Amino acid sequence: MGTYLATIHRQGAAVWGGSTTFNRLMRYAHPQVKLIDFSLGEKFLVTYSRHEPSNPRYANRVVINIFDVRTGKVMRDFKGNADDFAIGGIGGVAGVSWPIFRWGGGKDKYFARLGKNIISVYETDTFSLVDKKSLKVESVMYFSWSPTDPILALFVPELGGGNRPARVSSFSGHLLVDS
């Protein structure tokens, strides 16, 4: 929406703005942050960092924080191997498909991410998985939200050398009922 300007620093990120004067409004502690993204309604700021392991036999670690923009409080964090966050999506940045989360269902009500054969949908009242489980969709490659309603559209490409045609499906309601 263009309300804020965000900057990245070694210690984290900062958000700047103001209607009459331009000031730093909040700092968000996240060491070595590399990528940031705002939710659609600008209520939340997502930060991403990737950490190299001290032992090359171990995978790179990823830390993702979702902050409340106004309070600076971490509402949810996600941690794991870099491979866990590089699955699916389009347009990779630094080995990850960015943005990892897509926001929808009305302004900042839901966010979701694509995984291997799943779409994980979270709601922002509790920042937990909707119905406590991910939506399982074999070979799902892409999804998108309705701009105003809690409806997901997803794409599965043609498989089996043309024996299984590509499909587009939509999900609504509790987001787990195929419609």
Side-chain angles (χ1 to χ4, degrees), residues 34-150:
K34 300 288 186 225
L35 300 169
I36 60 174
D37 185 42
F38 282 100
S39 62
L40 289 175
E42 296 180 339
K43 290 181 183 177
F44 305 105
L45 177 72
V46 182
T47 60
Y48 166 93
S49 64
R50 181 176 171 158
H51 306 276
E52 302 291 327
S54 56
N55 185 330
R57 290 185 294 160
Y58 298 111
N60 290 325
R61 299 291 296 165
V62 166
V63 176
I64 300 167
N65 290 322
I66 300 177
F67 292 93
D68 180 301
V69 168
R70 294 190 188 272
T71 67
K73 179 182 175 191
V74 175
M75 303 307 293
R76 172 81 194 244
D77 66 356
F78 295 85
K79 297 175 182 174
N81 294 329
D83 292 344
D84 296 340
F85 298 97
I87 297 170
I90 58 172
V93 177
V96 67
S97 179
W98 191 256
I100 288 174
F101 299 111
R102 294 196 180 98
W103 297 82
K107 289 208 177 171
D108 298 348
K109 174 105 176 110
Y110 297 100
F111 63 101
R113 79 178 185 104
L114 186 62
K116 184 176 173 124
N117 297 320
I118 62 168
I119 299 174
S120 299
V121 180
Y122 302 85
E123 52 83 23
T124 58
D125 289 337
T126 64
F127 283 84
S128 60
L129 275 170
V130 170
D131 292 340
K132 298 182 175 132
K133 61 183 177 184
S134 294
L135 178 63
K136 293 180 179 166
V137 184
E138 187 178 337
S139 303
V140 63
M141 190 155 178
Y142 182 80
F143 77 93
S144 185
W145 286 99
S146 160
T148 57
D149 299 307

